[in-house]
Amino acid sequence: MQIFWYDDQKNVSNYFENIIKDGSVDQTSLIQNIIDSHIGEEIKVPTGTYLITHLNIPNGTFLKGEFNTIFKSFSDTNIIRILSSVNCLIENIHVLGANEIIRPKISGTQVGWYLDNCLSVTLNNCSASGCNDSGIKIKNTGAQSAPQYYKIPILNNFKAYRNYIGIKNDVRGEYCQLNGCIAGENHIGYFTGGGNNMASNCQFNRNQNGARIVGGVTDGVSYPNNSHASFSGCQFNHNIDESIRFENVEVGYMLNGCQFFDGEIIFKGKTKGVIINGSEGGTWSINSDSKEQNLITNSFFYTSPSGNWATTIIHKNNIGSGAIIEDNSSPSLDQTSLIFKARYDLFRTSNRGVNSWRSGGPHIFWGSKDIVVPPNKYVGYVLIRLENCNTTFEKECFLAAIDASTEICIDILAKNYLPEIINLDGVKYASIPVKKQFSTHIFFIAGVNRGASSSEAGMAYGRISSTNNFAYFSDRTPSLEQKITLNTSSINCELVICQDYK
């Protein structure tokens, strides 16, 4: 099967010798006639600005521009149209619309490159600017037949700037490849509602919004077969509002080796299964109203995120100047979204034997400045691991929040509290409700009162090595605004800080 064919008997001529190249006179009919009359040939389009309304690209077209070859249009419509079952190759052509504005806020109907139900379209080193709908819009390239999966639109080094949307995969705009593309100074750099698309080594920088991935019904439009696509080695830097937004993306998305600097990462609506892996960035925020599980893993962000991201799973990352390590395992309890769940080396002040604990209140405490909850992160519960727990005895608990920078106690969350005892993966925990967020970085100190009798074996898990000694804080509970000084002697115990456990 031949996609392009060449007739050696025909001369590759300059058919544009008599075409006006200064953009002053509409040349649509003349250029369209050249294209229609030389299908299968390499049609060279010399440097110049060609004023047109729109062009229809027939099957078998091979257009090859030179440096600074521009098709300019004031028509508020689709300018270059590549439609049903068309195979074509186009190189070095720039489409200039009528609305070249940096990060425009108002949308219209002008599209630079319009691909609808096309096949095997390759655009090399092409570009679009000044279009108040999209620099390029791709529709209906999926859900047809099996051959469609290898007859796909390919954009190599495509540049889209100063459009409302730079690059748009519209409804069923699927199975496209974006390689080395650049979208900058658009209102939205890249928008996709189609699945199975792959973007590699692309830059979506300095837009109002870097990228927006949507699915389901979003803004009144139905996007079937959305998501399950990927970004690899892409940049989302210096975007004004959003770095990247996932909205109602229900079948997952994979991002590997990407950069995020400035702007929000947003998980919205029914979004689930988005995985950001091996990436890095800074001065960023995460905002999520999605109740599903999305994952950021094996990544480095040198500033801690702001925003509401309690429903996002954070796993094995290095975040912020304090190297906050957040490791979320997947618990067996239903609908559990943990923020932290791991054993750490915690701090103690002195030791006290098991049999010398005092009754009348919880005086055994531990905490760690390494387990720091960032500002504005919702904390539902703190779980304190128990050892030799006998649930027939009531065990009083204490919990306080400490400002990580000043070490001042800013909130007494539980005092003489009788907790619910829960079983998490075969281990018993005392559950203390918090149900709030804090405006500063905080860590927790916590304790469980064992009681007066050695027969009340409801001891908090805080054993040092194999001895019977536990972390001891004071002979009385801490008070509000008290400075909490923890030394550097370590003890192996466990706090679980979670959004919810039910």
PDB file of all heavy atoms in Angstrom, residues 94-122:
ATOM      1  N   HIS A  94       3.649  27.558   8.441  1.00  0.00           N
ATOM      2  CA  HIS A  94       3.101  28.254   9.609  1.00  0.00           C
ATOM      3  C   HIS A  94       1.753  28.851   9.240  1.00  0.00           C
ATOM      4  O   HIS A  94       1.605  29.480   8.185  1.00  0.00           O
ATOM      5  CB  HIS A  94       4.036  29.370  10.079  1.00  0.00           C
ATOM      6  CG  HIS A  94       3.470  30.172  11.217  1.00  0.00           C
ATOM      7  ND1 HIS A  94       3.309  29.657  12.472  1.00  0.00           N
ATOM      8  CD2 HIS A  94       3.001  31.447  11.272  1.00  0.00           C
ATOM      9  CE1 HIS A  94       2.789  30.577  13.277  1.00  0.00           C
ATOM     10  NE2 HIS A  94       2.582  31.684  12.563  1.00  0.00           N
ATOM     11  N   VAL A  95       0.760  28.653  10.115  1.00  0.00           N
ATOM     12  CA  VAL A  95      -0.564  29.242   9.930  1.00  0.00           C
ATOM     13  C   VAL A  95      -0.700  30.411  10.901  1.00  0.00           C
ATOM     14  O   VAL A  95      -0.540  30.245  12.119  1.00  0.00           O
ATOM     15  CB  VAL A  95      -1.679  28.215  10.162  1.00  0.00           C
ATOM     16  CG1 VAL A  95      -3.038  28.893  10.100  1.00  0.00           C
ATOM     17  CG2 VAL A  95      -1.600  27.097   9.130  1.00  0.00           C
ATOM     18  N   LEU A  96      -0.989  31.581  10.355  1.00  0.00           N
ATOM     19  CA  LEU A  96      -1.115  32.793  11.158  1.00  0.00           C
ATOM     20  C   LEU A  96      -2.565  33.244  11.164  1.00  0.00           C
ATOM     21  O   LEU A  96      -3.140  33.563  10.128  1.00  0.00           O
ATOM     22  CB  LEU A  96      -0.226  33.904  10.579  1.00  0.00           C
ATOM     23  CG  LEU A  96      -0.325  35.280  11.250  1.00  0.00           C
ATOM     24  CD1 LEU A  96       0.070  35.196  12.722  1.00  0.00           C
ATOM     25  CD2 LEU A  96       0.543  36.296  10.510  1.00  0.00           C
ATOM     26  N   GLY A  97      -3.166  33.252  12.361  1.00  0.00           N
ATOM     27  CA  GLY A  97      -4.534  33.712  12.508  1.00  0.00           C
ATOM     28  C   GLY A  97      -4.620  35.205  12.704  1.00  0.00           C
ATOM     29  O   GLY A  97      -3.625  35.934  12.621  1.00  0.00           O
ATOM     30  N   ALA A  98      -5.820  35.659  13.006  1.00  0.00           N
ATOM     31  CA  ALA A  98      -6.084  37.099  13.071  1.00  0.00           C
ATOM     32  C   ALA A  98      -6.018  37.660  14.484  1.00  0.00           C
ATOM     33  O   ALA A  98      -6.287  38.847  14.682  1.00  0.00           O
ATOM     34  CB  ALA A  98      -7.463  37.381  12.481  1.00  0.00           C
ATOM     35  N   ASN A  99      -5.671  36.824  15.465  1.00  0.00           N
ATOM     36  CA  ASN A  99      -5.806  37.261  16.861  1.00  0.00           C
ATOM     37  C   ASN A  99      -4.561  36.921  17.677  1.00  0.00           C
ATOM     38  O   ASN A  99      -4.653  36.258  18.708  1.00  0.00           O
ATOM     39  CB  ASN A  99      -7.030  36.592  17.495  1.00  0.00           C
ATOM     40  CG  ASN A  99      -8.289  36.799  16.694  1.00  0.00           C
ATOM     41  OD1 ASN A  99      -8.927  37.834  16.799  1.00  0.00           O
ATOM     42  ND2 ASN A  99      -8.642  35.810  15.865  1.00  0.00           N
ATOM     43  N   GLU A 100      -3.408  37.349  17.232  1.00  0.00           N
ATOM     44  CA  GLU A 100      -2.171  36.984  17.929  1.00  0.00           C
ATOM     45  C   GLU A 100      -2.004  37.841  19.184  1.00  0.00           C
ATOM     46  O   GLU A 100      -1.530  38.974  19.138  1.00  0.00           O
ATOM     47  CB  GLU A 100      -0.960  37.136  17.014  1.00  0.00           C
ATOM     48  CG  GLU A 100       0.237  36.370  17.532  1.00  0.00           C
ATOM     49  CD  GLU A 100       1.366  36.305  16.507  1.00  0.00           C
ATOM     50  OE1 GLU A 100       1.788  37.370  16.039  1.00  0.00           O
ATOM     51  OE2 GLU A 100       1.813  35.190  16.200  1.00  0.00           O
ATOM     52  N   ILE A 101      -2.447  37.268  20.322  1.00  0.00           N
ATOM     53  CA  ILE A 101      -2.410  37.928  21.621  1.00  0.00           C
ATOM     54  C   ILE A 101      -1.741  36.986  22.609  1.00  0.00           C
ATOM     55  O   ILE A 101      -1.980  35.778  22.601  1.00  0.00           O
ATOM     56  CB  ILE A 101      -3.835  38.269  22.108  1.00  0.00           C
ATOM     57  CG1 ILE A 101      -4.542  39.177  21.093  1.00  0.00           C
ATOM     58  CG2 ILE A 101      -3.804  38.926  23.479  1.00  0.00           C
ATOM     59  CD1 ILE A 101      -6.001  39.371  21.393  1.00  0.00           C
ATOM     60  N   ILE A 102      -0.907  37.507  23.481  1.00  0.00           N
ATOM     61  CA  ILE A 102      -0.253  36.675  24.495  1.00  0.00           C
ATOM     62  C   ILE A 102      -1.291  36.208  25.510  1.00  0.00           C
ATOM     63  O   ILE A 102      -1.995  37.022  26.113  1.00  0.00           O
ATOM     64  CB  ILE A 102       0.876  37.456  25.197  1.00  0.00           C
ATOM     65  CG1 ILE A 102       1.982  37.801  24.198  1.00  0.00           C
ATOM     66  CG2 ILE A 102       1.451  36.639  26.356  1.00  0.00           C
ATOM     67  CD1 ILE A 102       3.083  38.641  24.785  1.00  0.00           C
ATOM     68  N   ARG A 103      -1.429  34.920  25.658  1.00  0.00           N
ATOM     69  CA  ARG A 103      -2.342  34.280  26.608  1.00  0.00           C
ATOM     70  C   ARG A 103      -3.746  34.894  26.548  1.00  0.00           C
ATOM     71  O   ARG A 103      -4.244  35.466  27.516  1.00  0.00           O
ATOM     72  CB  ARG A 103      -1.776  34.344  28.034  1.00  0.00           C
ATOM     73  CG  ARG A 103      -0.558  33.483  28.244  1.00  0.00           C
ATOM     74  CD  ARG A 103      -0.048  33.524  29.668  1.00  0.00           C
ATOM     75  NE  ARG A 103       0.631  34.766  29.961  1.00  0.00           N
ATOM     76  CZ  ARG A 103       1.935  35.002  29.745  1.00  0.00           C
ATOM     77  NH1 ARG A 103       2.692  34.040  29.231  1.00  0.00           N
ATOM     78  NH2 ARG A 103       2.475  36.140  30.054  1.00  0.00           N
ATOM     79  N   PRO A 104      -4.418  34.791  25.398  1.00  0.00           N
ATOM     80  CA  PRO A 104      -5.744  35.412  25.242  1.00  0.00           C
ATOM     81  C   PRO A 104      -6.765  34.806  26.196  1.00  0.00           C
ATOM     82  O   PRO A 104      -6.737  33.616  26.488  1.00  0.00           O
ATOM     83  CB  PRO A 104      -6.100  35.105  23.785  1.00  0.00           C
ATOM     84  CG  PRO A 104      -5.333  33.870  23.458  1.00  0.00           C
ATOM     85  CD  PRO A 104      -4.038  33.983  24.216  1.00  0.00           C
ATOM     86  N   LYS A 105      -7.696  35.632  26.659  1.00  0.00           N
ATOM     87  CA  LYS A 105      -8.702  35.174  27.615  1.00  0.00           C
ATOM     88  C   LYS A 105     -10.056  34.893  26.966  1.00  0.00           C
ATOM     89  O   LYS A 105     -10.940  34.324  27.603  1.00  0.00           O
ATOM     90  CB  LYS A 105      -8.870  36.210  28.729  1.00  0.00           C
ATOM     91  CG  LYS A 105      -7.614  36.399  29.570  1.00  0.00           C
ATOM     92  CD  LYS A 105      -7.849  37.417  30.679  1.00  0.00           C
ATOM     93  CE  LYS A 105      -6.595  37.592  31.531  1.00  0.00           C
ATOM     94  NZ  LYS A 105      -6.801  38.588  32.613  1.00  0.00           N
ATOM     95  N   ILE A 106     -10.235  35.323  25.727  1.00  0.00           N
ATOM     96  CA  ILE A 106     -11.523  35.160  25.059  1.00  0.00           C
ATOM     97  C   ILE A 106     -11.367  34.185  23.898  1.00  0.00           C
ATOM     98  O   ILE A 106     -10.458  34.324  23.066  1.00  0.00           O
ATOM     99  CB  ILE A 106     -12.045  36.520  24.548  1.00  0.00           C
ATOM    100  CG1 ILE A 106     -12.221  37.492  25.729  1.00  0.00           C
ATOM    101  CG2 ILE A 106     -13.363  36.337  23.802  1.00  0.00           C
ATOM    102  CD1 ILE A 106     -12.605  38.879  25.306  1.00  0.00           C
ATOM    103  N   SER A 107     -12.247  33.196  23.840  1.00  0.00           N
ATOM    104  CA  SER A 107     -12.180  32.192  22.784  1.00  0.00           C
ATOM    105  C   SER A 107     -13.067  32.586  21.612  1.00  0.00           C
ATOM    106  O   SER A 107     -13.973  33.417  21.738  1.00  0.00           O
ATOM    107  CB  SER A 107     -12.596  30.820  23.314  1.00  0.00           C
ATOM    108  OG  SER A 107     -13.950  30.856  23.729  1.00  0.00           O
ATOM    109  N   GLY A 108     -12.795  31.990  20.442  1.00  0.00           N
ATOM    110  CA  GLY A 108     -13.583  32.220  19.244  1.00  0.00           C
ATOM    111  C   GLY A 108     -13.718  30.946  18.451  1.00  0.00           C
ATOM    112  O   GLY A 108     -13.745  29.850  19.021  1.00  0.00           O
ATOM    113  N   THR A 109     -13.758  31.060  17.122  1.00  0.00           N
ATOM    114  CA  THR A 109     -13.988  29.889  16.275  1.00  0.00           C
ATOM    115  C   THR A 109     -12.896  29.681  15.228  1.00  0.00           C
ATOM    116  O   THR A 109     -13.036  28.816  14.363  1.00  0.00           O
ATOM    117  CB  THR A 109     -15.343  30.012  15.560  1.00  0.00           C
ATOM    118  OG1 THR A 109     -15.364  31.213  14.772  1.00  0.00           O
ATOM    119  CG2 THR A 109     -16.492  30.039  16.564  1.00  0.00           C
ATOM    120  N   GLN A 110     -11.827  30.439  15.284  1.00  0.00           N
ATOM    121  CA  GLN A 110     -10.777  30.279  14.273  1.00  0.00           C
ATOM    122  C   GLN A 110      -9.802  29.173  14.694  1.00  0.00           C
ATOM    123  O   GLN A 110      -9.246  29.202  15.792  1.00  0.00           O
ATOM    124  CB  GLN A 110     -10.019  31.584  14.062  1.00  0.00           C
ATOM    125  CG  GLN A 110      -9.059  31.521  12.873  1.00  0.00           C
ATOM    126  CD  GLN A 110      -8.314  32.823  12.658  1.00  0.00           C
ATOM    127  OE1 GLN A 110      -7.744  33.382  13.583  1.00  0.00           O
ATOM    128  NE2 GLN A 110      -8.312  33.298  11.413  1.00  0.00           N
ATOM    129  N   VAL A 111      -9.613  28.195  13.803  1.00  0.00           N
ATOM    130  CA  VAL A 111      -8.711  27.065  14.032  1.00  0.00           C
ATOM    131  C   VAL A 111      -7.640  27.088  12.950  1.00  0.00           C
ATOM    132  O   VAL A 111      -7.949  27.222  11.762  1.00  0.00           O
ATOM    133  CB  VAL A 111      -9.479  25.727  13.986  1.00  0.00           C
ATOM    134  CG1 VAL A 111      -8.512  24.557  14.135  1.00  0.00           C
ATOM    135  CG2 VAL A 111     -10.537  25.683  15.078  1.00  0.00           C
ATOM    136  N   GLY A 112      -6.387  26.953  13.350  1.00  0.00           N
ATOM    137  CA  GLY A 112      -5.303  26.957  12.369  1.00  0.00           C
ATOM    138  C   GLY A 112      -5.281  25.705  11.514  1.00  0.00           C
ATOM    139  O   GLY A 112      -5.446  25.742  10.291  1.00  0.00           O
ATOM    140  N   TRP A 113      -5.057  24.568  12.157  1.00  0.00           N
ATOM    141  CA  TRP A 113      -5.042  23.260  11.492  1.00  0.00           C
ATOM    142  C   TRP A 113      -6.219  22.470  12.024  1.00  0.00           C
ATOM    143  O   TRP A 113      -6.328  22.246  13.233  1.00  0.00           O
ATOM    144  CB  TRP A 113      -3.743  22.524  11.785  1.00  0.00           C
ATOM    145  CG  TRP A 113      -2.496  23.226  11.336  1.00  0.00           C
ATOM    146  CD1 TRP A 113      -1.838  24.236  11.990  1.00  0.00           C
ATOM    147  CD2 TRP A 113      -1.749  22.962  10.149  1.00  0.00           C
ATOM    148  NE1 TRP A 113      -0.729  24.615  11.290  1.00  0.00           N
ATOM    149  CE2 TRP A 113      -0.643  23.844  10.140  1.00  0.00           C
ATOM    150  CE3 TRP A 113      -1.901  22.067   9.094  1.00  0.00           C
ATOM    151  CZ2 TRP A 113       0.298  23.861   9.129  1.00  0.00           C
ATOM    152  CZ3 TRP A 113      -0.955  22.068   8.080  1.00  0.00           C
ATOM    153  CH2 TRP A 113       0.130  22.957   8.095  1.00  0.00           C
ATOM    154  N   TYR A 114      -7.093  21.997  11.115  1.00  0.00           N
ATOM    155  CA  TYR A 114      -8.293  21.278  11.529  1.00  0.00           C
ATOM    156  C   TYR A 114      -8.257  19.873  10.942  1.00  0.00           C
ATOM    157  O   TYR A 114      -8.356  19.678   9.730  1.00  0.00           O
ATOM    158  CB  TYR A 114      -9.541  22.012  11.045  1.00  0.00           C
ATOM    159  CG  TYR A 114     -10.833  21.380  11.474  1.00  0.00           C
ATOM    160  CD1 TYR A 114     -11.290  21.491  12.786  1.00  0.00           C
ATOM    161  CD2 TYR A 114     -11.622  20.684  10.557  1.00  0.00           C
ATOM    162  CE1 TYR A 114     -12.489  20.915  13.176  1.00  0.00           C
ATOM    163  CE2 TYR A 114     -12.827  20.111  10.936  1.00  0.00           C
ATOM    164  CZ  TYR A 114     -13.253  20.223  12.249  1.00  0.00           C
ATOM    165  OH  TYR A 114     -14.436  19.660  12.646  1.00  0.00           O
ATOM    166  N   LEU A 115      -8.078  18.867  11.816  1.00  0.00           N
ATOM    167  CA  LEU A 115      -7.998  17.472  11.404  1.00  0.00           C
ATOM    168  C   LEU A 115      -9.230  16.741  11.923  1.00  0.00           C
ATOM    169  O   LEU A 115      -9.444  16.681  13.144  1.00  0.00           O
ATOM    170  CB  LEU A 115      -6.737  16.800  11.960  1.00  0.00           C
ATOM    171  CG  LEU A 115      -5.388  17.109  11.280  1.00  0.00           C
ATOM    172  CD1 LEU A 115      -5.016  18.573  11.367  1.00  0.00           C
ATOM    173  CD2 LEU A 115      -4.287  16.243  11.893  1.00  0.00           C
ATOM    174  N   ASP A 116     -10.027  16.202  11.017  1.00  0.00           N
ATOM    175  CA  ASP A 116     -11.260  15.526  11.412  1.00  0.00           C
ATOM    176  C   ASP A 116     -11.405  14.236  10.608  1.00  0.00           C
ATOM    177  O   ASP A 116     -11.536  14.262   9.382  1.00  0.00           O
ATOM    178  CB  ASP A 116     -12.464  16.446  11.151  1.00  0.00           C
ATOM    179  CG  ASP A 116     -13.763  15.885  11.730  1.00  0.00           C
ATOM    180  OD1 ASP A 116     -13.756  14.744  12.240  1.00  0.00           O
ATOM    181  OD2 ASP A 116     -14.784  16.590  11.668  1.00  0.00           O
ATOM    182  N   ASN A 117     -11.327  13.087  11.317  1.00  0.00           N
ATOM    183  CA  ASN A 117     -11.514  11.771  10.695  1.00  0.00           C
ATOM    184  C   ASN A 117     -10.438  11.469   9.643  1.00  0.00           C
ATOM    185  O   ASN A 117     -10.651  10.723   8.699  1.00  0.00           O
ATOM    186  CB  ASN A 117     -12.909  11.684  10.064  1.00  0.00           C
ATOM    187  CG  ASN A 117     -13.323  10.253   9.785  1.00  0.00           C
ATOM    188  OD1 ASN A 117     -12.932   9.326  10.495  1.00  0.00           O
ATOM    189  ND2 ASN A 117     -14.102  10.049   8.735  1.00  0.00           N
ATOM    190  N   CYS A 118      -9.268  12.072   9.807  1.00  0.00           N
ATOM    191  CA  CYS A 118      -8.188  11.892   8.835  1.00  0.00           C
ATOM    192  C   CYS A 118      -7.371  10.640   9.168  1.00  0.00           C
ATOM    193  O   CYS A 118      -7.530  10.030  10.221  1.00  0.00           O
ATOM    194  CB  CYS A 118      -7.279  13.111   8.807  1.00  0.00           C
ATOM    195  SG  CYS A 118      -6.574  13.481  10.429  1.00  0.00           S
ATOM    196  N   LEU A 119      -6.477  10.266   8.235  1.00  0.00           N
ATOM    197  CA  LEU A 119      -5.622   9.098   8.413  1.00  0.00           C
ATOM    198  C   LEU A 119      -4.183   9.455   8.048  1.00  0.00           C
ATOM    199  O   LEU A 119      -3.939  10.168   7.073  1.00  0.00           O
ATOM    200  CB  LEU A 119      -6.081   7.931   7.524  1.00  0.00           C
ATOM    201  CG  LEU A 119      -7.463   7.331   7.796  1.00  0.00           C
ATOM    202  CD1 LEU A 119      -7.777   6.281   6.748  1.00  0.00           C
ATOM    203  CD2 LEU A 119      -7.522   6.724   9.184  1.00  0.00           C
ATOM    204  N   SER A 120      -3.235   8.941   8.801  1.00  0.00           N
ATOM    205  CA  SER A 120      -1.806   9.008   8.454  1.00  0.00           C
ATOM    206  C   SER A 120      -1.359  10.413   8.074  1.00  0.00           C
ATOM    207  O   SER A 120      -0.660  10.622   7.084  1.00  0.00           O
ATOM    208  CB  SER A 120      -1.492   8.043   7.307  1.00  0.00           C
ATOM    209  OG  SER A 120      -1.737   6.718   7.715  1.00  0.00           O
ATOM    210  N   VAL A 121      -1.739  11.376   8.870  1.00  0.00           N
ATOM    211  CA  VAL A 121      -1.298  12.760   8.668  1.00  0.00           C
ATOM    212  C   VAL A 121      -0.022  12.978   9.469  1.00  0.00           C
ATOM    213  O   VAL A 121       0.027  12.687  10.658  1.00  0.00           O
ATOM    214  CB  VAL A 121      -2.377  13.759   9.111  1.00  0.00           C
ATOM    215  CG1 VAL A 121      -1.846  15.192   9.070  1.00  0.00           C
ATOM    216  CG2 VAL A 121      -3.610  13.621   8.230  1.00  0.00           C
ATOM    217  N   THR A 122       1.012  13.494   8.790  1.00  0.00           N
ATOM    218  CA  THR A 122       2.258  13.838   9.468  1.00  0.00           C
ATOM    219  C   THR A 122       2.562  15.304   9.220  1.00  0.00           C
ATOM    220  O   THR A 122       2.634  15.744   8.064  1.00  0.00           O
ATOM    221  CB  THR A 122       3.429  12.978   8.970  1.00  0.00           C
ATOM    222  OG1 THR A 122       3.131  11.595   9.207  1.00  0.00           O
ATOM    223  CG2 THR A 122       4.706  13.341   9.696  1.00  0.00           C
TER     224      THR A 122
END
